[in-house]
Amino acid sequence: MTKKERAKLAVEALKAEYPGAVCSLEYQDPLQLLIAVRLSAQCTDARVNLVTPGLFARFPTLEAFCEGTVEEIGELIRSCGFYNTKSKDILGMCLMIRDEFGGQVPDTIEELTRLPGVGRKTANLIVGDIYHKPAIVCDTHCIRITGRLGITDGSKDPLQVERQLRERIPPKESNNFCHRMVLFGRDTCTARSPKCEGCPLAKDCDTAKAARRG
């Protein structure tokens, strides 16, 4: 079976398992999603969703954030961890969006990754979820699971995995596939103790086959 064939099987199986795949972060506009994703680094989405209502109530617009301070933003996001760095990035990205991008969140990976604290994972999420362009969000779930399934070559490098998946996942499926990877990684294909029994992908997964032999 080729890696592209394995990818097709995974796309269809996860589509059946999670038909309503959406981003688990709560937001009302592109800027709110961008900020929420920055807060989610080394923090659960559930925690971010508890913090952002208060943050966005205090700073409801781009201009409001630009007039804020690192200290005030930091106090509101303290429970997300690494709040000093995150607050500097949030203020920095808002100022850059205002001054260099005409107040609009950019719609390309190249422009988005110029913003403070924004890497390819975040940029892909914005490009996919907001602007509906084909995107591959390579988080730890995606890297781990696609390696286990033999869709990728087992690389742990996010950029390498992203490039491989762009070759193997149909563009129209890529955004939702990555959301489904997150759900599947939390529910079933966990990092330490994957629940191979009953897994919809077990029959095509070398990890599951090895577990059965063991």
Side-chain angles (χ1 to χ4, degrees), residues 158-175:
L159 182 56
Q160 292 299 320
V161 173
E162 179 187 331
R163 287 171 175 166
Q164 291 174 40
L165 291 177
R166 285 186 183 277
E167 295 175 355
R168 294 157 197 167
I169 304 295
K172 67 178 182 179
E173 302 285 359
S174 60
N175 299 337

Side-chain angles (χ1 to χ4, degrees), residues 24-179:
S24 57
L25 293 169
E26 297 171 359
Y27 63 96
Q28 299 296 322
D29 57 49
L31 180 63
Q32 287 189 0
L33 178 58
L34 182 64
I35 290 170
V37 177
R38 181 65 190 95
L39 292 176
S40 71
Q42 295 177 287
C43 179
T44 66
D45 289 355
R47 166 55 56 184
V48 174
N49 288 338
L50 291 174
V51 167
T52 49
L55 178 67
F56 297 146
R58 171 61 184 86
F59 300 105
T61 64
L62 175 68
E63 284 301 325
F65 270 108
C66 291
E67 293 170 2
T69 65
V70 169
E71 291 74 20
E72 186 175 6
I73 295 170
E75 281 303 309
L76 291 168
I77 65 170
R78 180 183 287 267
S79 65
C80 288
F82 301 96
Y83 64 94
N84 286 323
T85 299
K86 291 178 181 179
S87 59
K88 289 175 185 176
D89 286 343
I90 289 169
L91 180 57
M93 67 172 64
C94 288
L95 290 169
M96 193 170 181
I97 289 169
R98 182 192 67 183
D99 297 340
E100 298 190 31
F101 295 106
Q104 299 297 315
V105 174
D107 65 352
T108 69
I109 290 174
E110 292 71 25
E111 290 177 325
L112 283 161
T113 51
R114 289 179 54 206
L115 299 173
V118 176
R120 288 190 68 87
K121 183 178 77 171
T122 298
N124 269 287
L125 182 62
I126 298 299
V127 165
D129 276 31
I130 297 298
Y131 296 110
H132 309 297
K133 299 179 182 181
I136 299 289
V137 180
C138 276
D139 70 349
T140 56
H141 295 295
C142 184
I143 293 169
R144 178 181 73 253
I145 297 167
T146 56
R148 283 177 175 172
L149 293 172
I151 298 172
T152 60
D153 63 8
S155 171
K156 298 295 189 285
D157 179 73
L159 182 56
Q160 292 299 320
V161 173
E162 179 187 331
R163 287 171 175 166
Q164 291 174 40
L165 291 177
R166 285 186 183 277
E167 295 175 355
R168 294 157 197 167
I169 304 295
K172 67 178 182 179
E173 302 285 359
S174 60
N175 299 337
N176 286 339
F177 176 76
C178 292
H179 286 317

Side-chain angles (χ1 to χ4, degrees), residues 168-201:
R168 294 157 197 167
I169 304 295
K172 67 178 182 179
E173 302 285 359
S174 60
N175 299 337
N176 286 339
F177 176 76
C178 292
H179 286 317
R180 290 176 177 124
M181 281 274 123
V182 174
L183 298 172
F184 183 58
R186 290 172 180 168
D187 295 343
T188 304
C189 199
T190 54
R192 293 186 179 178
S193 302
K195 302 175 180 68
C196 298
E197 186 174 347
C199 170
L201 298 174

